[in-house]
Amino acid sequence: MKKHFKGFVAKVELLKSAMASPDKNGLNPVILIGIAGEMPSKCVLSGTLAENMELEYGGVYLFNATETEYSPMYGRNFRYVRLSEKLNPIEILQSSDYVGNLKVVDVDSKVSASEAELETVETL
């Protein structure tokens, strides 16, 4: 399973969910909406982390993510790093060309991609 995501472009939005609640500092969580590159499916950040990273709602940034220690409560965890300042439209296009098409990797899947392909072939 992939443990490091070198670069992806994502838009930062406020997480709008009935299950979303403010963190211990009273800040609402954010979600990273992928635009380009390969990114993990776990892309919700605490409001405090987003504030510390100086992320703005609606802003588009270049990120990377590296897997950290597994949590029995939350499962696989990732450390996100903002690699750029807020991108303008031309920079978004240039970054998207560089990192490639969007691919969201399901990091909660219990089955590896090759095993899933084998299961699909066997059922045909």
Side-chain angles (χ1 to χ4, degrees):
M1 183 61 74
K2 192 159 183 75
K3 294 184 180 276
H4 183 73
F5 298 84
K6 291 184 181 181
F8 59 91
V9 178
K11 181 178 181 183
V12 177
E13 290 292 341
L14 182 65
L15 181 62
K16 296 175 184 173
S17 168
M19 297 177 64
S21 61
D23 62 19
K24 65 182 181 181
N25 296 317
L27 299 172
N28 292 316
V30 300
I31 186 166
L32 302 180
I33 308 296
I35 295 173
E38 190 173 44
M39 67 183 284
S41 58
K42 278 188 135 175
C43 53
V44 174
L45 308 176
S46 76
T48 299
L49 179 59
E51 183 176 271
N52 289 341
M53 292 173 68
E54 298 179 355
L55 301 177
E56 295 178 25
Y57 299 135
V60 177
Y61 302 88
L62 181 64
F63 294 92
N64 78 9
T66 304
E67 188 167 8
T68 59
E69 190 173 321
Y70 180 85
S71 165
M73 181 180 285
Y74 300 111
R76 294 178 70 188
N77 288 306
F78 293 86
R79 179 178 57 87
Y80 288 87
V81 176
R82 180 180 57 108
L83 299 176
S84 71
E85 296 295 323
K86 189 173 171 183
L87 300 175
N88 68 44
I90 297 299
E91 292 170 328
I92 293 169
L93 292 173
Q94 290 170 336
S95 298
S96 297
D97 282 344
Y98 184 76
V99 298
N101 293 332
L102 178 63
K103 179 180 179 190
V104 178
V105 176
D106 183 4
V107 296
D108 291 324
S109 174
K110 302 273 190 259
V111 179
S112 71
S114 58
E115 290 173 354
E117 289 171 6
L118 286 175
E119 288 177 10
T120 303
V121 170
E122 289 174 4
T123 58
L124 295 175

